[in-house]
Amino acid sequence: MPRHSAALDRATPDRIAEAALLLVDEGGPDALTFRALAARLDIAVASLQRRCTDLAGLLDLCTDHLATRLPDVAPGTDWTLATETRFTALYGVLTAHPGLLALRGTRPWLGPNLLAHLAEPQLADNIAVGMTPEEAIAAYRGMYLLTLGSAGFVDHRDPQGSRAASRLAIAALDPADFPVMTGHLNVIVAAMHDRDVYRGALRRLIDAAHPAASSTPRNPSHD
């Protein structure tokens, strides 16, 4: 019989994901290496690689672990509220771990937990409310891409530093060439780092996807 490995007991998928997320949150994207992660878990690199063979597999493990934090919306919830709840929760998860988002880049987020907590129930709700399958996936994709793009637009690890850098960059522009941007500097910088801008854009997509949706009050606390 194969020998029991205490290292693999320590290297459960959840423990690997949690340790990897801590490394990225503390040190940024460059801090996540197999050597650093193995040291954090007190296991050999080879043991870690038995769980996830490469960086892509590790990132998939992390993102699917985060997807378990997305809410399960109760059946029968108003479509508008259910949709906003799911996507603002995704936005909150993504902005809480911007280093992971940077590492993922353009890789698709297709882990089973994300599909089970977001894609499948949202598509089912879209169809149940009267959309065709084509309309359902188009609405989902638009809201998903808005959320992903908004979360990755600025560095949420250091919002003050990001805001200062944006201000300096715009202030350095020649007003003759960029009269609108330099003339409305404060408004533009505020909008670049304001979560309400995301929520407003999401609500407009929701309204456009289903204009007859009920006006049930929305809960902004999911951000």
Side-chain angles (χ1 to χ4, degrees):
M1 294 181 62
R3 296 177 58 188
H4 181 76
S5 172
L8 287 181
D9 285 344
R10 291 194 297 274
T12 64
D14 283 342
R15 289 198 65 189
I16 291 173
E18 289 166 2
L21 289 168
L22 280 175
L23 279 174
V24 175
D25 291 345
E26 293 168 358
D30 293 339
L32 183 59
T33 66
F34 269 70
R35 186 177 299 278
L37 182 55
R40 176 69 64 96
L41 291 165
D42 191 25
I43 62 174
V45 172
S47 296
L48 178 59
Q49 289 174 327
R50 289 174 65 182
R51 290 293 194 193
C52 40
T53 57
D54 55 19
L55 180 60
L58 176 58
L59 295 177
D60 286 342
L61 195 68
C62 291
T63 54
D64 212 43
H65 176 76
L66 286 177
T68 62
R69 303 179 187 178
L70 297 177
D72 291 319
V73 178
T77 300
D78 169 71
W79 178 83
T80 301
L81 179 58
T83 302
E84 187 169 3
T85 297
R86 291 190 185 105
F87 281 101
T88 53
L90 177 63
Y91 179 80
V93 165
L94 296 176
T95 55
H97 303 282
L100 177 65
L101 188 60
L103 284 171
R104 291 284 307 188
T106 58
R107 284 176 52 78
W109 298 59
L110 296 173
N113 284 321
L114 182 70
L115 298 180
H117 285 80
L118 179 68
E120 177 66 21
Q122 186 61 51
L123 289 172
D125 280 359
N126 288 358
I127 290 174
V129 85
M131 297 184 196
T132 65
E134 292 79 11
E135 291 169 339
I137 188 62
Y140 173 86
R141 182 168 172 78
M143 295 171 200
Y144 174 81
L145 291 176
L146 169 69
T147 304
L148 200 62
S150 297
F153 187 63
V154 297
D155 184 356
H156 294 275
R157 288 187 307 152
D158 182 18
Q160 291 186 344
S162 182
R163 186 177 293 109
S166 298
R167 180 179 294 278
L168 284 173
I170 296 175
L173 298 174
D174 187 340
D177 295 327
F178 301 92
V180 175
M181 296 188 70
T182 56
H184 301 280
L185 174 61
N186 291 336
V187 174
I188 291 173
V189 171
M192 291 174 66
H193 303 274
D194 188 347
R195 292 178 180 227
D196 287 338
V197 173
Y198 164 71
R199 285 195 291 260
L202 176 62
R203 289 168 186 165
R204 286 190 291 275
L205 283 181
I206 290 172
D207 290 342
H210 186 56
S214 69
S215 57
T216 300
R218 300 174 173 92
N219 184 355
S221 65
H222 293 292
D223 187 300

